[in-house]
């Protein structure tokens, strides 16, 4: 039984790792495009496909972990989430802003002091994900309390996403919740009813793989303005991608340990927070020395973007005063335990 629990933990970690690597890939290519550097149709297609499932997969994994144990006291739980997500949200928004202003002549997007002061409603860079996750943690339990039926909650979230697709959102809060709460809740439901569900149907899996492959090829080759239809295709491809990832990783009875994915999964939060600053620096440096070709730009941007962020994450993990900006609650507990052991 313990082995099964470990394997289940490993497969969900590997989904997080794949999502994290997709985010890195997306932003490296996105940075090249916005800098006006050469970027062929292949890389543009890869970016498009990564953008479809990267955040939904992250949300599914977060929802699964959320569903593993009872929330307990609502206010105590939310207080912890506000600290654990709010501290890195504020700290790294400030860090990103300072770096952005310092190198304003070389970056793709420039921010103003007003932008920094408005991060409570309009996030900077990729840190919107932290705000979206916090909103889901805050309001999803309330929604479940009000509706009291999981199927109805899921139906409500799907309907809200559809409505939101047609730009009927009032605020950024509404938009972030509507777009991603459904994926989060799918993960939660899968965790709660995991033993009752059977995803191992090879015919369905093979059919979806072929369908997803054709859609991916079509979407990547014909990158035109689909209008509202794109949201429908994106939604379908995101759900199918998550399903196939679950089938692939969890479907292995004895999932093999993958050291690379283990490391990426362990530091996925730090990678997400830091990677765009590193990839932008690599892109700018390569341009300064005359390397503008898409292949070296992508290889060095991706490789150094991952390698340097992992190194920084490892150093911060060993330095309590730095790690507290990533994991406030966890680090404070370590400090308290160290004080108790020394006393």
């Amino acid at each position: 039984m313990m082995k099964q629990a470990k394997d289940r933990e490993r497969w969900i970690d590997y989904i997080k790792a794949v999502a994290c690597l997709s985010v890195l890939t997306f932003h490296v290519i996105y940075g090249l495009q916005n800098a006006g550097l050469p970027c062929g149709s292949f890389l543009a297609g890869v970016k498009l496909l990564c953008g479809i499932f990267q955040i939904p997969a992250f949300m599914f994994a977060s929802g699964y972990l959320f569903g593993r144990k009872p929330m307990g006291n609502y206010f105590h739980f939310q207080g912890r989430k506000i600290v654990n997500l709010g501290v890195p949200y504020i700290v790294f928004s400030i860090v990103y802003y300072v770096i952005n202003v310092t190198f304003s002549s070389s970056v793709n997007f420039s921010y103003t002091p007003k932008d920094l002061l408005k991060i409570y409603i309009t996030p900077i860079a990729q840190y919107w994900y932290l705000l979206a996750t916090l909103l889901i943690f805050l309001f999803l339990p309330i929604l479940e309390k009000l509706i009291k039926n999981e199927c109805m909650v899921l139906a409500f979230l799907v309907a809200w996403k559809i409505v939101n697709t047609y730009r009927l959102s009032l605020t950024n809060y509404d938009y972030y919740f509507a777009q991603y709460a459904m994926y989060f809740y799918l993960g939660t439901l899968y965790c709660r009813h995991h033993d009752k569900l059977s995803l191992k149907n090879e015919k369905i899996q093979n059919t979806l793989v072929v369908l997803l492959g054709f859609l991916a090829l079509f979407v990547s080759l014909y990158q035109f303005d689909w209008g509202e239809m794109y949201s429908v295709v994106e939604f379908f491809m995101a759900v199918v991608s998550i399903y196939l990832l679950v089938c692939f990783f969890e479907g292995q009875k004895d999932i093999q340990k993958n050291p690379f994915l283990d490391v990426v999964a362990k530091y996925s939060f730090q990678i997400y927070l830091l990677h765009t600053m590193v990839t932008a620096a690599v892109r700018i440096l390569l341009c300064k020395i005359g390397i503008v070709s898409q292949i070296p730009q992508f290889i060095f941007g991706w490789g150094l973007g991952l390698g340097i962020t992992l190194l920084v994450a490892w150093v911060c993990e060993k330095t309590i005063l730095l790690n507290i900006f990533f994991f406030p609650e966890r680090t404070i507990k370590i400090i308290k335990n160290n004080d108790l052991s020394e006393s």
Side-chain angles (χ1 to χ4, degrees), residues 53 67 94 175 194 208 232 234 250-251 268 282 288 291 328 330:
F53 80 92
I94 294 173
Y175 175 79
H194 177 270
L208 288 176
V232 177
E234 182 183 34
E250 195 195 16
S268 59
V282 173
K288 295 287 187 184
I291 300 177
R330 185 191 307 177

Side-chain angles (χ1 to χ4, degrees), residues 59 62 77-93 127-138 184 269 273 324-329:
M59 287 297 182
S62 297
F77 176 84
Q78 301 304 344
R80 291 172 53 220
K81 290 301 176 186
I82 290 172
V83 171
N84 289 331
L85 292 172
V87 169
Y89 177 71
I90 294 172
V91 169
F92 288 99
S93 293
Y127 305 119
W128 63 266
Y129 171 77
L130 302 183
L131 180 60
T133 306
L134 180 58
L135 290 171
I136 292 171
F137 278 128
L138 286 171
F184 185 98
F269 188 61
L273 294 175
I324 197 169
F325 297 125
F326 294 98
F327 305 106
E329 183 186 23

Side-chain angles (χ1 to χ4, degrees), residues 26-326:
F26 177 91
H27 281 126
V28 171
I29 302 172
Y30 184 69
L32 295 179
Q33 290 179 324
N34 285 316
L37 296 174
C39 188
S41 58
F42 175 77
L43 285 182
V46 170
K47 187 208 82 170
L48 193 64
L49 297 176
C50 287
I52 286 174
F53 80 92
Q54 55 184 7
I55 299 302
F58 255 132
M59 287 297 182
F60 178 88
S62 297
Y64 181 91
L65 296 174
F66 172 72
R68 287 176 57 187
K69 57 183 180 180
M71 182 178 63
N73 181 273
Y74 174 83
F75 295 102
H76 177 69
F77 176 84
Q78 301 304 344
R80 291 172 53 220
K81 290 301 176 186
I82 290 172
V83 171
N84 289 331
L85 292 172
V87 169
Y89 177 71
I90 294 172
V91 169
F92 288 99
S93 293
I94 294 173
V95 171
Y96 190 97
Y97 170 77
V98 171
I99 294 175
N100 180 273
V101 170
T102 304
F103 300 98
S104 58
S105 61
S106 302
V107 297
N108 291 335
F109 300 103
S110 296
Y111 291 100
T112 65
K114 185 178 179 181
D115 294 322
L116 185 61
L117 293 175
K118 291 177 64 179
I119 61 171
Y120 67 92
I121 192 167
T122 307
I124 287 176
Q126 74 270 24
Y127 305 119
W128 63 266
Y129 171 77
L130 302 183
L131 180 60
T133 306
L134 180 58
L135 290 171
I136 292 171
F137 278 128
L138 286 171
F139 295 113
L140 188 57
I142 296 175
L143 197 61
E144 280 200 301
K145 194 76 173 176
L146 292 173
I147 298 179
K148 302 182 187 302
N149 181 289
E150 291 176 337
C151 291
M152 291 300 294
V153 172
L154 182 60
F156 177 83
L157 293 175
V158 172
W160 195 349
K161 180 173 175 61
I162 293 172
V163 169
N164 201 267
T165 297
Y166 292 92
R167 309 296 187 268
L168 299 178
S169 57
L170 300 175
T171 65
N172 282 341
Y173 294 162
D174 172 32
Y175 175 79
Y176 292 137
F177 186 89
Q179 287 297 309
Y180 299 104
M182 187 214 67
Y183 300 113
F184 185 98
Y185 197 56
L186 281 175
T188 302
L189 293 182
Y190 185 67
C191 180
R192 290 175 181 172
H193 304 287
H194 177 270
D195 296 334
K196 304 174 188 176
L197 298 173
S198 177
L199 301 181
K200 299 175 184 178
N201 187 313
E202 290 189 9
K203 288 184 178 180
I204 293 178
Q205 290 175 32
N206 293 336
T207 302
L208 288 176
V209 166
V210 173
L211 181 58
L212 186 64
F214 275 116
L215 275 174
L217 184 64
F218 186 77
V219 168
S220 58
L221 288 177
Y222 299 97
Q223 298 167 40
F224 50 83
D225 185 7
W226 292 40
E228 302 301 342
M229 185 62 188
Y230 178 74
S231 296
V232 177
V233 175
E234 182 183 34
F235 172 72
F236 175 78
M237 291 180 69
V239 172
V240 172
S241 298
I242 292 170
Y243 169 78
L244 293 176
L245 281 172
V246 172
C247 291
F248 177 76
F249 285 118
E250 195 195 16
Q252 303 178 49
K253 290 182 179 179
D254 297 306
I255 185 169
Q256 296 298 312
K257 184 178 176 65
N258 186 305
F260 175 69
L261 291 181
D262 283 334
V263 172
V264 174
K266 179 181 179 181
Y267 295 110
S268 59
F269 188 61
Q270 297 97 312
I271 293 171
Y272 186 88
L273 294 175
L274 297 170
H275 73 279
T276 52
M277 291 179 270
V278 178
T279 56
V282 173
R283 183 186 68 248
I284 293 168
L285 181 60
L286 289 176
C287 288
K288 295 287 187 184
I289 60 177
I291 300 177
V292 296
S293 175
Q294 61 178 324
I295 295 177
Q297 276 278 354
F298 177 77
I299 292 174
F300 283 109
W302 197 94
L304 292 175
L306 180 62
I308 293 174
T309 52
L310 285 174
L311 178 61
V312 172
W314 180 79
V315 170
C316 291
E317 185 181 42
K318 306 299 179 184
T319 311
I320 290 180
L321 291 180
L322 293 177
N323 206 45
I324 197 169
F325 297 125
F326 294 98

